[in-house]
Amino acid sequence: MTAFRAMLGRELRLALRGGGDMLTLVLFFVIVGAIVPFAVGPDRDLLARIAPGIVWIAAFLAMLLGLDRLFRPDHEDGSLILLRQADLSLSAVVAAKLIVHWLVSALPLLLASPLLAMLLAMELETFWRVLLSLAVGTPALAAFGAVGAAVTVSIRRGGLIAPILIAPLSIPVLIFGTGSITATQSSAALLFLAALSLMAVALAPFAAALAISSGED
Amino acid sequence: MTLDTTQKQSWWSRIAHPGQFVIWTRPLLWPLTILTALVFVVGLYFAFFNSPADYQMGDTVRIMYVHVPNAWLSQFVYGVMAVSALGTLVWRHPLADVSMKAAAPLGALFTALALFTGSLWGRPTWGTFWEWDGRMTSTLVLLFIYLGIVALWRAFDDQLRAARVIAVFTLIGAVNIPIIKFSVDWWSTLHQPASVFRADGPRMPGSILTPLFIMFFAFTFLFITLQLKAMHTEVKRRRVMTLQRRAAQGEPA
């Protein structure tokens, strides 16, 4: 447990002191959301109707953007090899990285979402549901992302391939995420989203660790 | 590909050794090709001349004889890939790697053909090439997963390492595909009223079922033939790569 906590601390320090990565992601999230009105026209009714989908797409893209720093820096400077030989199992290492990844790339998006809600003419009630669905659904996105990053970590151009692999797997998350906002059976969709998140977060560390250890040796 | 051949005891490891596999399956290739061609001729004859036109859809119903076998193969090939992935992860068997790699582009091809023939069929009967129907959407996602796996194979330099990583991803996909299918069905029922797509259709008479079954076997034989050939090619490619590596190191090849 101490090792796990040390791992969490290491990842957090690296993420927080590593410069403006977090701010860049938030900026990207807001800009993607703010670009849509230029493309579809600033019609308030239309925007309000598609706003939940826009927010979800923006969050999905922003989280893809942050994936490359999950394992790649550790792979490049060799610390991933050291982590594999540590007493702490690789799955636990991945779990720690996953938690920190969510904290630094999903939580800021949640905090920034009021800004996007305002720009997209969202009702207050819709906004709360968007926030809830994002909070429940982003762990699943982070988990799928971790698997994709682990699969591609030993490829030099892996950053380009990971999104292609992750996007099809993330479709259920998007369906239930926006379903829990707009659909008629929204509470059922929210429960499905929660189930998906819990399952993905529980299984992803093992799958990602397996992918890393089979790609490294 | 430096396999120790002295310890091959069981019949299974003997026939599954990649070199042996090529040797004992090579004589099968021509008969399989001829068989496939024959079944195709019979099936196409039945499909074109010996089956009735639908009283509503007319002759376009004949697209079904190409469409349904491709749709079946799109899922069957993923099954082959997933089983090979297990072989790669559990036994680290090189033949499983080869089978997994050979199946990926074939699966992508059959899935693309299923979508293509489906949209050709959809145009005259439903009036649209594409509808965000549950089954079509999940097939499209399956195609994306196939293409992602093909892209992954191409991105790795070291094919032995690639096989294990891709096996992990293939199995994750195998777990995820039912979830995607289920979620997409749920999603499309919300958006699209049950109008055009009848899942099981009318009860089929034998005159339609016969050509469908023959075409089904024809396409499955086609897959087996192509898969064997692709596996042979892959085994040879790996042998060439090993020889090149040895030559580059200055050892006697």
Side-chain angles (χ1 to χ4, degrees), chain A residues 41-136:
Chain A
D43 176 12
R44 283 182 72 86
D45 291 337
L46 176 67
L47 281 182
R49 205 169 69 238
I50 61 176
I54 298 172
V55 174
W56 262 97
I57 286 288
F60 174 63
L61 293 179
M63 289 192 70
L64 283 184
L65 208 62
L67 274 183
D68 224 22
R69 63 164 187 217
L70 200 52
F71 300 114
R72 191 165 299 277
D74 284 349
H75 173 73
E76 275 166 4
D77 68 10
S79 36
L80 205 55
I81 297 173
L82 291 180
L83 287 174
R84 280 186 61 200
Q85 291 162 347
D87 283 341
L88 193 63
S89 77
L90 190 58
S91 321
V93 171
V94 174
K97 279 173 169 292
L98 183 57
I99 291 170
V100 173
H101 175 62
W102 186 82
L103 284 177
V104 300
S105 70
L107 199 57
L109 304 186
L110 292 182
L111 298 178
S113 58
L115 190 60
L116 214 52
M118 220 160 56
L119 289 173
L120 297 173
M122 221 187 269
E123 301 286 334
L124 189 64
E125 198 222 353
T126 321
F127 167 68
W128 288 119
R129 293 165 98 177
V130 169
L131 200 61
L132 184 64
S133 78
L134 276 181
V136 173

Side-chain angles (χ1 to χ4, degrees), chain A residues 1-216:
Chain A
M1 206 57 216
T2 340
F4 186 72
R5 228 175 293 140
M7 194 62 214
L8 276 180
R10 168 187 187 264
E11 290 298 317
L12 261 181
R13 275 195 302 279
L14 277 175
L16 294 180
R17 295 179 190 169
D21 272 3
M22 216 156 71
L23 211 61
T24 317
L25 281 189
V26 171
L27 199 61
F28 180 79
F29 173 68
V30 174
I31 286 180
V32 167
I35 267 182
V36 174
F38 294 105
V40 301
D43 176 12
R44 283 182 72 86
D45 291 337
L46 176 67
L47 281 182
R49 205 169 69 238
I50 61 176
I54 298 172
V55 174
W56 262 97
I57 286 288
F60 174 63
L61 293 179
M63 289 192 70
L64 283 184
L65 208 62
L67 274 183
D68 224 22
R69 63 164 187 217
L70 200 52
F71 300 114
R72 191 165 299 277
D74 284 349
H75 173 73
E76 275 166 4
D77 68 10
S79 36
L80 205 55
I81 297 173
L82 291 180
L83 287 174
R84 280 186 61 200
Q85 291 162 347
D87 283 341
L88 193 63
S89 77
L90 190 58
S91 321
V93 171
V94 174
K97 279 173 169 292
L98 183 57
I99 291 170
V100 173
H101 175 62
W102 186 82
L103 284 177
V104 300
S105 70
L107 199 57
L109 304 186
L110 292 182
L111 298 178
S113 58
L115 190 60
L116 214 52
M118 220 160 56
L119 289 173
L120 297 173
M122 221 187 269
E123 301 286 334
L124 189 64
E125 198 222 353
T126 321
F127 167 68
W128 288 119
R129 293 165 98 177
V130 169
L131 200 61
L132 184 64
S133 78
L134 276 181
V136 173
T138 42
L141 286 186
F144 284 130
V147 171
V151 166
T152 53
V153 68
S154 51
I155 310 174
R156 241 172 292 119
R157 305 170 304 278
L160 200 63
I161 288 195
I164 293 178
L165 298 177
I166 297 162
L169 299 186
S170 308
I171 284 176
V173 182
L174 289 179
I175 289 177
F176 291 123
T178 52
S180 71
I181 303 163
T182 52
T184 39
Q185 310 109 300
S186 57
S187 63
L190 193 66
L191 287 178
F192 272 122
L193 188 64
L196 208 58
S197 265
L198 290 173
M199 209 171 68
V201 170
L203 296 180
F206 299 100
L210 186 61
I212 291 174
S213 52
S214 28
E216 288 279 315

Side-chain angles (χ1 to χ4, degrees), chain B residues 52 54 57 61 64-65 68 121 135 198-213:
Chain B
D54 190 82
M57 294 189 272
V61 74
M64 177 181 73
Y65 305 127
V68 174
W121 194 12
R135 215 178 261 200
R198 290 162 310 182
D200 40 16
R203 230 171 278 119
M204 290 180 189
S207 54
I208 290 182
L209 271 183
T210 314
L212 187 59
F213 264 117

Side-chain angles (χ1 to χ4, degrees), chain B residues 141-181:
Chain B
V141 175
L142 185 62
L143 177 65
F144 289 154
I145 293 179
Y146 272 124
L147 293 178
I149 290 174
V150 172
L152 206 51
W153 273 112
R154 282 162 172 258
F156 273 97
D157 296 327
D158 180 353
Q159 296 292 294
L160 291 180
R161 180 188 292 180
R164 266 171 269 142
V165 176
I166 294 169
V168 175
F169 183 77
T170 307
L171 289 179
I172 293 170
V175 175
N176 218 298
I177 281 172
I179 299 178
I180 293 173
K181 171 98 184 80

